[in-house]
Amino acid sequence: MEGGIPDPEVFTHVRVIIGIILGLSVSRLLTGVARIIQHPQRKNIFAVHLAWVLFTFLTVVHFWWFEFYLHELVQWTFEAYLFVIFFASIHFLACALLFPDSMEGYSGYEDYFMSRRSWYFGILIVIFIVDFIDTAMKGMAHFGSLGPEYPFRNLFLIGIAALGIYLRRPRAQLVLVCLALVCQIAFILVQFDTI
C-alpha cells in the first residue's frame, strides 16, 4: 500500500473493532442478567454464577480501558491487528459461556455453570496468559510501569481459574470468585483510576 495509513487513523480503526466485539460482550452479560430479572423463578439463580458474571463484566470493562494504551504501538501490522481481535474475541467467548442461548437440558444456572466450568475457566486462563503478550506489545516500559502487582494479578487469577476447573463444591467456587473479585477490583483501583 502506497504511503501507508497515518498512525492515529490505524489506532482509531482498531479501537472501533475492539469496541464492537467488547460491546457485544457487555451486551451478552447485561441481556443475561436482564433475563434473570425478568423471570427469576424460571432460571434457578446461582449466586456463584452471578458473581462470575460480575467478575467477567469487570474484566471486559477493564480490558476495554486497558486497550487505550495501544495508541503507544508505533507500527501496526496485520498480525498485531489480528492478535488484538483474537484477544477481544476470547472475552466474548467467556461472556457467551456464562449466558447460553438456551438453558434446555439444564435445571438452572448452577447445573449449567458447573457442567461448563472447565470451558469457562479454561478461557479465563487463556485471557490472562494472552494479557501478558498484549501488555508487552504496548512496550516493555509500559509493562514495567505496572509494577509487580501486574504479573502477580495475572498469575493469581490463572491459579484461581485452574482451581475452578477442578473444584466442584459450590462453597469452594464461592471462595474462588470472592478472591478473584477482590484481586481484580484492587488491581483496577490501584493501577487504572486514570489513563
Side-chain angles (χ1 to χ4, degrees):
M1 172 168 37
E2 284 186 39
I5 301 170
D7 287 342
E9 289 180 36
V10 173
F11 177 60
T12 300
H13 179 70
V14 172
R15 263 190 19 220
V16 167
I17 298 298
I18 293 170
I20 290 168
I21 296 168
L22 296 180
L24 290 169
S25 302
V26 169
S27 174
R28 185 76 178 220
L29 295 177
L30 295 178
T31 301
V33 171
R35 276 194 220 127
I36 289 172
I37 293 168
Q38 291 165 354
H39 304 286
Q41 69 282 1
R42 288 196 306 174
K43 300 296 183 184
N44 292 330
I45 299 167
F46 181 43
V48 170
H49 169 260
L50 287 177
W52 282 115
V53 168
L54 175 60
F55 174 83
T56 306
F57 177 80
L58 285 173
T59 301
V60 169
V61 171
H62 173 251
F63 172 70
W64 210 336
W65 180 265
F66 193 71
E67 288 307 279
F68 181 78
Y69 291 99
L70 285 172
H71 77 278
E72 296 175 359
L73 195 61
V74 177
Q75 181 167 355
W76 277 93
T77 63
F78 182 74
E79 292 83 5
Y81 173 69
L82 192 60
F83 173 81
V84 171
I85 290 173
F86 165 74
F87 194 17
S89 296
I90 55 179
H91 283 81
F92 177 81
L93 288 176
C95 296
L97 277 169
L98 287 170
F99 288 108
D101 292 330
S102 169
M103 291 291 289
E104 191 177 328
Y106 299 100
S107 61
Y109 278 108
E110 181 174 1
D111 182 31
Y112 172 77
F113 180 78
M114 295 306 282
S115 71
R116 292 289 175 254
R117 73 183 188 286
S118 295
W119 278 97
Y120 173 73
F121 290 121
I123 288 173
L124 282 187
I125 289 169
V126 171
I127 285 172
F128 290 107
I129 290 171
V130 171
D131 189 57
F132 280 122
I133 301 165
D134 180 71
T135 302
M137 275 178 48
K138 295 171 182 117
M140 291 316 289
H142 174 71
F143 194 104
S145 74
L146 299 176
E149 310 87 71
Y150 170 69
F152 172 80
R153 189 269 321 232
N154 280 21
L155 293 172
F156 182 76
L157 291 175
I158 288 168
I160 291 285
L163 286 171
I165 291 171
Y166 296 103
L167 298 177
R168 295 178 187 268
R169 286 207 209 105
R171 269 200 183 154
Q173 288 286 334
L174 184 61
V175 169
L176 291 179
V177 73
C178 287
L179 289 171
L181 279 166
V182 167
C183 179
Q184 187 74 318
I185 291 167
F187 184 72
I188 290 168
L189 291 176
V190 168
Q191 290 288 338
F192 296 105
D193 57 341
T194 60
I195 291 183

